[in-house]
Amino acid sequence: VLPFPSQVVYNRVGKCGSRTVVLLLRILSERHQFNLVASDVHNKTRLTENEQVDLMKNISDIPKPFLYTRHVHFLNFSRFGMDQPVYINIIRDPINRFLSNYFFRRFGDWRGEQNHMIRTPGMKDEERYLDINACVLENYPECSNPRLFYIIPYFCGQHPKCREPGEWALERAKQNVNENFLLVGILEELEDVLLLLERLLPHFFMDVVNIYKSPDYRKIGNMTGTVKKQTPSLEALQALYQRMKYEYDFYYYIRDQFHLLKRKIGLKSQDHVLRSQELIFVSQPKLQEPFDEEDEDNDEHWLGQP
């Protein structure tokens, strides 16, 4: 038995900076000699029971120490008699995450204007150029529940009720975080997330902050912005906030826990508490937009009709 957590799963949430972290992990895995397995499956977060068992067996068979990462809702290894790995994850303000995904699906990122045509070739112009305010205020499916209920299922798990916006999924997600996740950070304080990962999992993350701050890495990071992002009207923001009540309840809970852990470790926190009356803060995200390979479960039809 290795004298440190030797099985780590990062079930990364879409559009929450995971591509940034995976780029760092690729450097770290070579430096620290651990097995990094980054799945190339980006659009299948929900699995049948047989698929869950097969995936968990495959993960458990990776030579230790390993870090496995994939966009997938929480998997309960112990339910099937397998050793439960240590989980880590990062989330961000729910409206900012939604907006990042909305425009990324339509217009891509730094790779150029035609990137979006490769990613979503079947998207009609009426959908691609759909005004964000119209999408929200006219209740298009893409801007309504259950589509907006996105972050919590990553922590709630594979149970069908985990995809239903409500108290049950929220509380189960919190319980799983408390029992199975070593750390859930917030993207708005990414450098502090990396500092804590370096403290808590040094075999995997030692020197990660220095790498993140290095000029060579910054060159990569500077090319990861979603393009053509627009700020919704205050009316649309308020509507989104109301529809994402449970997502915000979870986000605030995670942020409070994250700040508590920072204080315990001795890191000074940026504890400026933002609540529902401060919706306007979503208009200008303060950090460089990280790039994620996937956006949402893009095997499903999105726009539909209002």
Side-chain angles (χ1 to χ4, degrees), residues 177-196:
V177 167
N178 294 336
E179 295 178 356
N180 297 291
F181 283 78
L182 180 67
L183 176 68
V184 181
I186 56 172
L187 186 60
E188 291 83 359
E189 298 172 36
L190 179 58
E191 193 169 312
D192 284 350
V193 176
L194 299 177
L195 278 168
L196 285 178

Side-chain angles (χ1 to χ4, degrees), residues 38-240:
S39 173
D40 57 2
V41 178
H42 308 305
N43 59 3
K44 192 171 178 59
T45 56
R46 304 183 291 266
L47 309 176
T48 66
E49 189 166 298
N50 287 337
E51 289 172 336
Q52 291 176 53
V53 172
D54 288 344
L55 178 56
M56 288 186 284
K57 285 180 178 177
N58 289 338
I59 293 172
S60 299
D61 287 342
I62 300 170
K64 302 177 183 63
F66 71 78
L67 192 150
Y68 177 84
T69 179
R70 171 176 163 171
H71 296 288
V72 65
H73 295 168
F74 174 76
L75 297 164
N76 190 341
F77 286 67
S78 58
R79 178 188 169 205
F80 297 96
M82 293 178 243
D83 290 339
Q84 188 77 2
V86 167
Y87 273 86
I88 59 173
N89 217 321
I90 301 172
I91 65 173
R92 74 190 289 188
D93 173 85
I95 290 178
N96 275 340
R97 195 216 68 81
F98 165 74
L99 293 176
S100 177
N101 183 69
Y102 185 90
F103 292 105
F104 182 61
R105 290 186 66 246
R106 286 161 169 77
F107 305 115
D109 58 19
W110 59 271
R111 290 176 295 179
E113 288 290 316
Q114 297 306 312
N115 175 46
H116 60 282
M117 299 302 295
I118 298 171
R119 292 180 50 78
T120 52
M123 185 181 287
K124 297 179 181 179
D125 281 352
E126 64 185 51
E127 179 178 358
R128 193 176 305 281
Y129 297 101
L130 175 65
D131 181 74
I132 182 67
N133 294 308
C135 185
V136 174
L137 299 176
E138 296 176 23
N139 294 311
Y140 279 80
E142 182 175 357
C143 300
S144 305
N145 276 315
R147 285 293 184 188
L148 298 178
F149 193 70
Y150 183 83
I151 297 173
I152 286 176
Y154 275 86
F155 300 88
C156 178
Q158 298 289 334
H159 193 287
K161 287 181 70 173
C162 288
R163 302 192 291 274
E164 299 173 8
E167 290 289 339
W168 189 93
L170 171 63
E171 293 305 316
R172 182 148 175 170
K174 289 180 182 179
Q175 181 182 350
N176 281 334
V177 167
N178 294 336
E179 295 178 356
N180 297 291
F181 283 78
L182 180 67
L183 176 68
V184 181
I186 56 172
L187 186 60
E188 291 83 359
E189 298 172 36
L190 179 58
E191 193 169 312
D192 284 350
V193 176
L194 299 177
L195 278 168
L196 285 178
L197 286 170
E198 192 169 335
R199 298 273 190 93
L200 297 171
L201 292 170
H203 184 87
F204 296 90
F205 287 96
M206 185 62 70
D207 297 326
V208 67
V209 176
N210 289 332
I211 296 170
Y212 178 66
K213 289 181 173 181
S214 68
D216 288 343
Y217 183 83
R218 287 296 185 183
K219 288 179 184 177
I220 301 172
N222 287 336
M223 297 189 294
T224 59
T226 299
V227 299
K228 294 190 178 181
K229 290 181 71 174
Q230 300 172 14
T231 302
S233 67
L234 182 58
E235 183 183 6
L237 288 173
Q238 290 172 333
L240 283 172

